[in-house]
Structure formats: structure tokens, C-alpha cells
Amino acid sequence: MAHLLSASCPLIISPCSKNGPSSLKPSLASLPTSRTSIQPFKSLSINRKNGQRQFSVRATTLQQPGTKAGSGSDERSRQQSRPTRVMVVGGDGYCGWATSLHLSKKGYDVAIVDNLVRRQFDDQLGLDSLTPIASIHDRIRRWRSLTEKDIDLYIGDVCDFEFLSEAFTSFKPDAVVHFGEQRSAPFSMIDRSRAVFTQQNNVLGTLNVLFAIKEYAEDCHLVKLGTMGEYGTPNIDIEEGYITITHNGRTDTLPYPKQAGSFYHLSKVHDSNNIEFTCKAWGIRATNLNQGVVYGVRTAETEMHDELYNRFDYDGVFGTALNRFCVQAAIGHPLTVYGKGGQFEEQFSVNQLASLVTKAGDKLGIQVQTKSVPNPRVEEEEHYYNAKHTKLIELGLEPHLLSDSLIDSVLNVAVQFKDRVDTRQIMPSVSWTKIGAKPKTVSA
Amino acid sequence: MAHLLSASCPLIISPCSKNGPSSLKPSLASLPTSRTSIQPFKSLSINRKNGQRQFSVRATTLQQPGTKAGSGSDERSRQQSRPTRVMVVGGDGYCGWATSLHLSKKGYDVAIVDNLVRRQFDDQLGLDSLTPIASIHDRIRRWRSLTEKDIDLYIGDVCDFEFLSEAFTSFKPDAVVHFGEQRSAPFSMIDRSRAVFTQQNNVLGTLNVLFAIKEYAEDCHLVKLGTMGEYGTPNIDIEEGYITITHNGRTDTLPYPKQAGSFYHLSKVHDSNNIEFTCKAWGIRATNLNQGVVYGVRTAETEMHDELYNRFDYDGVFGTALNRFCVQAAIGHPLTVYGKGGQFEEQFSVNQLASLVTKAGDKLGIQVQTKSVPNPRVEEEEHYYNAKHTKLIELGLEPHLLSDSLIDSVLNVAVQFKDRVDTRQIMPSVSWTKIGAKPKTVSA
């Protein structure tokens, strides 16, 4: 049985994620969601030589360790005694590291697959995480010493299929959580080579993951991060993955139209289209999660030791508005709001975020100011935005809403590490229109 | 002024294309269309520093040589004495060669950009054009000797931006017609490496073309071939590029949902999304032509000499149904129809095509039989299909419908070269479900 779940869901890495919703562990619970939903892929009947094969949809997610999700075949019954094996591609990154620790804590066998290119981006652009982060080797060693749990490590590039094949045949994953993509819109808009890199890395890497699943682990469930940015800002409600259209007297449920606003967002649209095709043609089992901006820095696991700290990006390339605002508040820099401040992240406007940070600053005795800066992106300053998010909640997810306590937590981290702030990193430095074909080099 | 035209249009390279419709010369006239239309891109207002910049749509096409389309700026006025310069990417291929000759004949300055990889595909897969084709060097020399017209030649890969930059800065195109993509769905479904090659070559090559236009020729008009296969087979009418949706009481005109059925078709969807974004963000001027299957082999120009012959593919990888049927009829092989024969090419069913070829065979005294073979693709055998095609006709295009005389012409070519037929090439050899991660090698 093949299925593609497409979910809309802004994620929050909350200050405390101990009590995630049980029905969605572990694929989503490590990243508690504030608003979530899943739109099942419409059923499609496809002829095979031996008759009709019906692809239908089951809203399964990964089960608890030792109780693998699946069809209950003999093969699976025999394997039920071992923990479910989850490969986290991009497990050294922001979402990947928190997810890997959470899954390991829950008793899953976890392997991290990562080429560490995210660290190289920082080196090349002269950026750094606000929080000091240990090497992936030290991170994993520290986790083992604290918990006696091993996390397997495969250092390499999923665009290299020989490497990926080795990782698959050696680790034998039951599920793959794929965070292994270049995930910054501004990075993709720096210059031609980074635009091309973003689409090459993301699209071809995901193609390789799909082929690896087909070749080596056909029942493996793929959990893939997309982005709400795939949808752009249509003037109608955003449905979860699919929309039912009645047109000239006929009706069909079709993929929701996409209008991505950067080469990065486009790479995610390309991924979604490729994944959907392989679900239809090969029966790949995939959950495509179109999340919004991910917030927060501490989880129950990363809090356990300095060497388990997650990264915290506040720069103009990888940082998000909330992080940037908290860092600006911590060092007494005015909050920099683009244009009219009406851009939307999740379903908050940037002005609303700025106001929340100002309020949180008041509590810490910090007086926070706001100033306007030019919008580097090509986007409409004001527009309708209403994204549906009900299906994951129907599955039992308890959303963690963006709360004052989360903002307090982020602001506290910013204050704790304010001596590490590099003010040159804060301002947006990438223009959507000035991007050129020539490589943009960075000088000190 | 930026615009993106998205047109739906099955193309026919007709036996005689001397009298193309004047209003669409030269970008489309060399490939007379049977059913055509253009759906203008909806207007989008974008804030710039100096106020609102309105991207609107003009249904312009390339003008006659010496009367360049454009804004009429001083720079352009000064240049109006020289012929319009058209770069044909993929100019050694099936559509590209016929187009290049037609444009050259009409008085345009033409440059062919090609890495000749299409010929390498044949070499590697053990395939060959039914018609013997000369080298690109001999083709161009012969054209010069017959017409005293030069066609510039740039041998290289548009995925190599250093090469493409050199071609752009040296030739200085006013328009780029981009055929330079891997264009076979079965080729993209042979194995992982060819699937990845197809998306890498097509998507990143087109990204490079877009960057080259932005960097070196901002007013250059891009004419890009998409495919009707981007839309798949929705159960509602296919509109031309965009569809107006009323949903929960609100209305917007959005990109028509895409449901591509192979890694090749997906690459075209990715291209379309990338092109649309650059039209919005940078003001790129593009016409994205979602054509159907292209038929025919002779044009007024290729008929002029043996060395100008165009290629004729009838094999299971690059051949189309009509070509395959005509070759089968010519050698007394039963016409091989997949499954129920209800698959659609253009708006003919394959059964209708088979019946047309049978009728054409009768006229030549050939008795044609038909037999069913398994469908190698994953697709619905029977489905609704109604693609709109009115906008190019509104612009003045006179469609050349798929006619008995066209089929007679193709069948005559097949009969002429029937001694060159390799019957091992005829049958479909690529399965949509058996595609594997391991490279598929070809033995003699």
C-alpha cells in the first residue's frame, strides 16, 4: 500500500518537548507543532499486469519502537522484536540534531547521515551559531556517555549514490527523516552558483533517497520536510496539499497550485512533485510535511549538556525573524522589520513577532525599539493568507502554540550568549533582484 | 515590462511549412501548430524602492528580421538596422534543426548552441535515426553553400556556465529558443543515473540560461519548450497555464496544477516553475510553450539537400507512436498498441493514430495489422482529456491539423528508408516500474 501524506505544519522546537503527543511519535513529536494537518493523497487506480492495484491512503505514522508500522507481513512479524530503525538525513543540522536525540531517547535505533556542509556554509560566509556547538563526533560521544545510547554516523553526501547505497544497505532503515537540504531562501539567492547548488543538492539528493528506498528498503517510510513557502501567497485559502476544483461542470482533486518565491522554495516544490510521482509509480510511502518557520533552540535532550546544544542562527542568511529580533533585543539593537512589516512567517506577521519580542524584553528590563529596513525580497507586502491545518490534529497531535514562554526562552538564550553576537551578521544582506551570475565572494 | 506566456500547443513539423502564419513568425511558424493557445500570466504588482512596478502581459512574439520587438528605446532604435539574433539551444536536435533552418531562411541571424549529446544517446543505446543525418558541421556547411547564409555554431553544454557566458557575450542574442533538454520520458525512466541526468541537465541548464539572460541580455526573449505532459490527465478541462479558482468565497487565478508522469515530464514542470519565478522576480520575458507530440520529418528547408535531412526516431526510447507505426507499416510489422490503446498523444488516441496509418498504408498497397503489447508506463488507460488551445489562434496562428497528407508523408519516408530499419529498436523497452538504482548497460 502506497501513500503520500501532505501536511501543512509550522514547527516549533519548544523549550520542553517531553510530552509530545503519543499518536505521532516519533516522526513529528520531536518537533512539536503549533498548527498541523495532513491532506491524504487521493486514491489512484493503476493497471498492473496482474490486474488493478489500488493505491489508497492510510494516515499511518511511525509507531513506538518495537511495534513497527506496516502491513503485518511475516517478514515484519519476525522483525518486531528489534527497535525501529530511523535514518535522519541532515542529522547534524538544526531540525535534524534535535530530532535525532529525541528519537534515540525514545528507544529508536538512529543513524545520522550528514555531509556537514551546513557548517561549511558558516565558514565560507563568515557566520556562526550564537550558541557554541560541538562537532558531530563530540555530540554523539557525549550522548552515548550520558545515555548509553549509540547513534550511528554516516558522513557523506546523499547526492553521492554510492555512499547513500552503503548507508542504506548497512543501516537498513525502517524510516528515513530527510532534513538533508540547503534550507535558506537567502542563501539560494546570493549568486548563480548557490542557486544552482541549492536545486542540485536538494532535488537530486531527494531523487537519490527515493531510488535508495525503492532499491534497498521498499517498505521504508519517507518523512520529508517541505515548506509552507511552496504555496506562496494565493488569494484563496491554502488547503493541505490538494484542492478540490469544480470547473466547467466537472470536479477533480488536484495538487494545490504552487507559487514559490525563491530558488530554495522552488527546490522544495520540485521535491514534492518528484515524491508524489514516485508514490504513484512505485508505491513509495511518504509523508511530505510542509512546515512553516521552525522556532526555538532548546529541547529536553539538548539541554542535558553543553556539548548537546543545538545551533541558533540569527544572521541575515540562515536566521529567522524571531531569532534575529531576540538577538537584536538582547544587545540593544532596534528590531529590523522589512518594508511595511506585513510579511508573514507562520501566520504571524513580522510586526506581531516584533511586538511579542518587545513585550518579552520588557519582562527582562530590556527596552526594545523597532526600525524599518528595505525588503530584500520580491514579494507582496500585504496579502491574504489563510493556511488550513487540521489533519495532524485529527490524528491526535497536540499543538504547542507560539507562546510567551517560548519567546522568553529564546530571548534568554540570546541574552546568555550576547557576548558572542556579531552585529555584522544581523542585517539582511541578500537581495532577490541583485543576484548575479558571477560568484559572490566574501571578504573579511 | 516582463511577461510570461504559457501556451498549450501540439506541434507538427509539416511536410511543407512555407506559408506559416505571419503574425507568429518566426518563433512558432517553423513548427506549424495544429491546436494552439496562450494563457497570459496574471498581472502581479511588486513593490520596488521607487514605488509600484507593475508586471503586465503583452502577447508579443518575435517580429520580422530588422523590426525587433521591444520597447523602442534609443538603444534599440540604433540597432534596428541589424537582423534579429536568435540563439537556438539544442539546434542540432529534431525541433532545433528545423527551427534553425527556418529562422535562417527568414533572414534572422541564427546561432546553434548544442553539446551533441543527443547523438551520444543513440550511440550508447545502439539506436539510430531512420533518416541518415549529416554531422552538424556538414549540415551548416551545406546550408551555407546552398543559401549563402551563415549559422553560428557553439559546441558546448549550457550546464557549463563559463561556456554559456562565452556564447552569450559573443553572439549577443535578442531571443533564445531553448530546445536543449533531454526530451524522452522513457530515457528518463531507464535507470537512476539517467533519471538524475535528465533533471540535472534540464533544470540546471535552464537555470543557467535564465541567469545568462539576466546577466548578459536582459531584454532577450526566452522561448522555452515545455510539454502538455506537465498537466497529466486531470478530470477537468486543462486551461492554458493558469486556472481561475473560486474557493470558500474567494477567487484567484493560479498556476494550473501539474501531475507529471515521468522524471522527464517532471523536469519540465520544474523548469516552468523556475521560469515563472524569474519572470516575477527579475522581469525575464519568457514564452513557455507546452506543446504536445511533434510529428513529421520534412520541412521546406530540410528537403533542400540530403545533408539537411532531419532525424526520424522510431525506437522505443525516442520514437513517438506515429513514427513507430509508420515504420512498422513500412516493413510489414504489426502496429504495436499498448494496453487498451486508449493512451492519448495530442488529442488523438493511439488507436486513432493506428487507424490513420492503416488507412495511409492501404493507399500504398500495404496491408497493416495491429497487435496489443503490455503498457510499460504507469498511467490510467482511459481517462478524460480536454486541453484548451485558443490563445495562439487568437494571435493569428493558422493551425496545420494532423492530416492524411502528413501521415502519407511520414509513411513515405518510412518506406523510402525501410532498409535502414532495425526491428530490435521498435518495441518499448523501458518499464516505469522496473527502473532500478543500478546503471542499466546495453549489450550488442
Side-chain angles (χ1 to χ4, degrees):
Chain A
M1 298 292 258
H3 65 271
L4 170 64
L5 302 180
S6 182
S8 306
C9 156
L11 295 179
I12 296 186
I13 296 187
S14 76
C16 173
S17 64
K18 283 167 191 157
N19 302 310
S22 63
S23 70
L24 283 164
K25 292 188 177 90
S27 64
L28 304 173
S30 66
L31 303 170
T33 60
S34 65
R35 302 171 301 101
T36 63
S37 61
I38 290 183
Q39 166 80 13
F41 179 63
K42 67 168 175 160
S43 69
L44 173 83
S45 63
I46 295 177
N47 260 349
R48 295 294 171 97
K49 277 180 192 164
N50 51 0
Q52 285 266 321
R53 174 168 170 186
Q54 186 77 25
F55 290 113
S56 67
V57 174
R58 291 175 307 145
T60 55
T61 55
L62 300 176
Q63 304 299 302
Q64 289 297 316
T67 58
K68 288 180 55 194
S71 61
S73 67
D74 288 350
E75 170 65 15
R76 290 188 163 192
S77 301
R78 278 196 299 275
Q79 292 183 352
Q80 280 193 354
S81 54
R82 68 166 176 83
T84 303
R85 303 172 69 77
V86 184
M87 175 183 282
V88 182
V89 182
D92 185 47
Y94 172 59
C95 289
W97 177 237
T99 303
S100 298
L101 292 188
H102 184 79
L103 297 180
S104 178
K105 177 86 159 292
K106 292 283 176 188
Y108 294 86
D109 280 350
V110 174
I112 285 175
V113 173
D114 205 305
N115 63 354
L116 311 184
V117 73
R118 175 67 190 84
R119 293 172 186 255
Q120 192 184 28
F121 296 153
D122 276 357
D123 290 343
Q124 292 182 339
L125 295 171
L127 309 174
D128 200 1
S129 166
L130 182 69
T131 48
I133 56 173
S135 76
I136 185 63
H137 306 276
D138 286 341
R139 282 175 155 186
I140 287 176
R141 277 192 286 259
R142 177 59 61 192
W143 180 248
R144 190 189 303 129
S145 76
L146 289 172
T147 65
E148 296 184 346
K149 288 176 186 299
D150 269 321
I151 291 177
D152 290 356
L153 179 62
Y154 296 86
I155 299 289
D157 188 343
V158 296
C159 290
D160 171 2
F161 194 73
E162 189 181 358
F163 159 76
L164 186 62
S165 298
E166 178 58 28
F168 259 75
T169 53
S170 153
F171 182 70
K172 297 184 173 55
D174 301 309
V176 174
V177 185
H178 182 15
F179 297 114
E181 302 211 328
Q182 193 297 98
R183 58 98 175 147
S184 158
F187 184 94
S188 77
M189 301 302 293
I190 291 176
D191 58 16
R192 185 199 65 86
S193 69
R194 290 181 174 94
V196 168
F197 169 85
T198 299
Q199 297 213 347
Q200 176 158 10
N201 180 74
N202 294 4
V203 178
L204 306 186
T206 298
L207 275 183
N208 275 352
V209 169
L210 292 166
F211 271 98
I213 290 173
K214 183 176 196 298
E215 185 83 16
Y216 304 116
E218 211 162 13
D219 288 330
C220 181
H221 189 122
L222 173 64
V223 179
K224 165 70 169 59
L225 250 68
T227 166
M228 286 302 293
E230 295 183 32
Y231 297 116
T233 52
N235 194 38
I236 59 175
D237 294 344
I238 297 174
E239 298 296 330
E240 298 173 74
Y242 299 85
I243 182 169
T244 299
I245 302 173
T246 299
H247 180 61
N248 297 345
R250 302 179 62 88
T251 298
D252 202 355
T253 299
L254 297 171
Y256 196 96
K258 302 291 178 72
Q259 298 183 104
S262 77
F263 290 117
Y264 153 75
H265 291 102
L266 285 158
S267 76
K268 296 283 192 178
V269 173
H270 306 344
D271 282 340
S272 295
N273 287 324
N274 282 340
I275 293 169
E276 187 184 343
F277 168 68
T278 61
C279 287
K280 288 186 193 176
W282 302 341
I284 297 285
R285 301 151 37 91
T287 297
N288 193 16
L289 191 64
N290 285 344
Q291 91 290 350
V293 178
V294 184
Y295 298 122
V297 60
R298 286 181 170 140
T299 67
E301 295 79 25
T302 65
E303 279 186 325
M304 289 168 65
H305 193 279
D306 289 1
E307 284 191 322
L308 302 181
Y309 275 179
N310 206 346
R311 63 181 311 125
F312 181 97
D313 303 313
Y314 63 99
D315 60 86
V317 176
F318 290 97
T320 52
L322 180 64
N323 288 9
R324 201 159 52 240
F325 290 167
C326 286
V327 165
Q328 289 171 331
I331 63 168
H333 188 290
L335 311 191
T336 50
V337 176
Y338 303 160
K340 294 186 184 172
Q343 313 96 319
F344 290 73
E345 302 222 352
E346 197 194 63
Q347 293 196 15
F348 294 92
S349 76
V350 168
N351 276 335
Q352 284 173 303
L353 278 186
S355 147
L356 288 169
V357 171
T358 303
K359 210 170 64 178
D362 281 347
K363 283 192 263 178
L364 295 181
I366 304 172
Q367 200 182 352
V368 181
Q369 292 184 316
T370 296
K371 73 169 180 182
S372 288
V373 297
N375 189 347
R377 306 192 181 202
V378 176
E379 60 189 6
E380 291 172 283
E381 298 278 345
E382 291 171 305
H383 53 76
Y384 179 73
Y385 198 76
N386 184 29
K388 298 295 182 66
H389 45 84
T390 60
K391 296 291 166 73
L392 285 180
I393 290 169
E394 285 166 26
L395 284 175
L397 184 81
E398 294 170 29
H400 293 233
L401 297 172
L402 179 62
S403 61
D404 288 350
S405 66
L406 176 98
I407 292 180
D408 292 346
S409 158
V410 174
L411 186 54
N412 272 311
V413 170
V415 170
Q416 180 186 349
F417 292 104
K418 71 177 180 182
D419 292 344
R420 286 175 50 89
V421 172
D422 177 359
T423 54
R424 291 164 302 186
Q425 298 188 19
I426 289 181
M427 296 298 288
S429 54
V430 179
S431 159
W432 259 229
T433 54
K434 290 184 188 148
I435 178 173
K438 301 211 170 77
K440 193 168 281 183
T441 55
V442 178
S443 57
Chain B
M1 296 292 259
H3 64 272
L4 170 65
L5 302 180
S6 181
S8 306
C9 156
L11 297 178
I12 296 185
I13 296 187
S14 76
C16 174
S17 63
K18 283 168 192 157
N19 301 309
S22 62
S23 71
L24 284 163
K25 292 187 180 88
S27 64
L28 304 173
S30 65
L31 303 170
T33 59
S34 65
R35 302 171 299 101
T36 61
S37 62
I38 289 182
Q39 166 79 14
F41 178 64
K42 67 169 176 160
S43 68
L44 173 83
S45 63
I46 295 177
N47 260 351
R48 294 296 170 96
K49 277 180 195 163
N50 51 1
Q52 286 266 322
R53 174 167 168 184
Q54 186 78 25
F55 289 113
S56 68
V57 173
R58 290 176 307 148
T60 55
T61 55
L62 300 176
Q63 306 300 301
Q64 290 297 317
T67 59
K68 288 182 55 194
S71 60
S73 67
D74 288 351
E75 170 66 13
R76 291 187 162 191
S77 302
R78 279 195 298 275
Q79 293 182 352
Q80 278 193 357
S81 54
R82 69 166 175 84
T84 303
R85 303 173 70 77
V86 183
M87 174 182 283
V88 181
V89 182
D92 185 47
Y94 172 59
C95 289
W97 178 238
T99 302
S100 299
L101 292 189
H102 184 78
L103 296 180
S104 178
K105 177 84 159 294
K106 292 283 176 189
Y108 294 86
D109 279 350
V110 174
I112 286 175
V113 173
D114 205 305
N115 62 354
L116 311 184
V117 73
R118 175 68 189 85
R119 293 172 186 253
Q120 191 185 28
F121 296 153
D122 275 357
D123 290 343
Q124 292 181 339
L125 295 171
L127 309 174
D128 200 2
S129 165
L130 182 70
T131 47
I133 56 173
S135 75
I136 185 64
H137 306 275
D138 286 341
R139 282 175 155 186
I140 288 176
R141 278 191 285 257
R142 177 59 60 192
W143 180 248
R144 190 188 304 131
S145 77
L146 289 171
T147 65
E148 294 182 350
K149 289 178 187 296
D150 269 321
I151 291 178
D152 289 356
L153 178 62
Y154 296 86
I155 298 290
D157 189 343
V158 295
C159 290
D160 171 1
F161 194 73
E162 189 181 357
F163 159 76
L164 186 63
S165 298
E166 178 57 30
F168 258 74
T169 52
S170 154
F171 182 69
K172 296 183 174 55
D174 300 310
V176 174
V177 184
H178 181 16
F179 298 113
E181 302 212 329
Q182 193 298 97
R183 59 97 174 148
S184 158
F187 185 93
S188 77
M189 300 302 292
I190 291 177
D191 57 16
R192 185 199 65 85
S193 68
R194 289 182 174 93
V196 168
F197 169 84
T198 299
Q199 296 213 347
Q200 176 158 12
N201 180 74
N202 294 5
V203 178
L204 306 187
T206 298
L207 275 184
N208 275 352
V209 170
L210 292 166
F211 271 97
I213 290 173
K214 183 177 196 296
E215 185 82 18
Y216 304 115
E218 211 161 14
D219 288 330
C220 180
H221 188 123
L222 172 65
V223 178
K224 164 72 169 58
L225 249 69
T227 166
M228 285 301 293
E230 295 183 31
Y231 298 116
T233 53
N235 194 37
I236 58 175
D237 294 344
I238 297 174
E239 298 296 330
E240 296 172 77
Y242 298 85
I243 182 169
T244 299
I245 302 174
T246 298
H247 181 59
N248 298 344
R250 302 179 63 88
T251 298
D252 201 356
T253 299
L254 297 171
Y256 196 95
K258 303 290 179 72
Q259 298 183 102
S262 76
F263 290 116
Y264 153 75
H265 290 102
L266 284 158
S267 76
K268 295 284 193 179
V269 173
H270 306 344
D271 281 341
S272 295
N273 287 324
N274 283 340
I275 292 169
E276 187 184 343
F277 168 68
T278 61
C279 288
K280 288 186 194 177
W282 302 341
I284 297 285
R285 301 151 38 91
T287 297
N288 193 16
L289 191 65
N290 284 344
Q291 91 291 349
V293 178
V294 184
Y295 299 122
V297 61
R298 286 181 169 139
T299 68
E301 294 81 25
T302 65
E303 279 186 326
M304 289 169 65
H305 192 279
D306 289 0
E307 284 190 322
L308 301 181
Y309 275 178
N310 206 346
R311 62 181 312 125
F312 182 97
D313 303 312
Y314 62 99
D315 59 86
V317 176
F318 291 97
T320 52
L322 180 65
N323 288 9
R324 201 159 52 240
F325 291 166
C326 286
V327 166
Q328 290 172 329
I331 63 168
H333 189 291
L335 311 190
T336 51
V337 176
Y338 303 161
K340 295 185 184 172
Q343 313 95 316
F344 291 73
E345 304 221 352
E346 198 193 61
Q347 292 197 20
F348 294 92
S349 76
V350 169
N351 275 334
Q352 284 173 304
L353 278 186
S355 147
L356 289 168
V357 172
T358 303
K359 211 169 66 177
D362 280 347
K363 283 191 264 178
L364 295 182
I366 305 172
Q367 199 182 353
V368 181
Q369 291 184 317
T370 296
K371 75 169 178 181
S372 289
V373 298
N375 189 345
R377 305 192 182 201
V378 176
E379 61 188 6
E380 291 172 283
E381 297 277 345
E382 291 170 305
H383 54 76
Y384 179 73
Y385 198 76
N386 185 29
K388 299 295 182 63
H389 43 85
T390 60
K391 296 291 166 72
L392 284 180
I393 290 169
E394 285 166 25
L395 283 175
L397 184 81
E398 293 169 29
H400 293 234
L401 298 172
L402 179 63
S403 61
D404 288 349
S405 66
L406 176 96
I407 292 180
D408 292 347
S409 157
V410 175
L411 185 55
N412 271 311
V413 171
V415 169
Q416 181 186 350
F417 292 104
K418 71 177 180 182
D419 292 343
R420 286 175 50 90
V421 172
D422 176 359
T423 54
R424 292 164 303 186
Q425 297 187 21
I426 289 180
M427 297 297 288
S429 55
V430 179
S431 159
W432 258 230
T433 54
K434 289 183 188 148
I435 177 173
K438 301 211 169 77
K440 193 168 279 182
T441 54
V442 179
S443 56

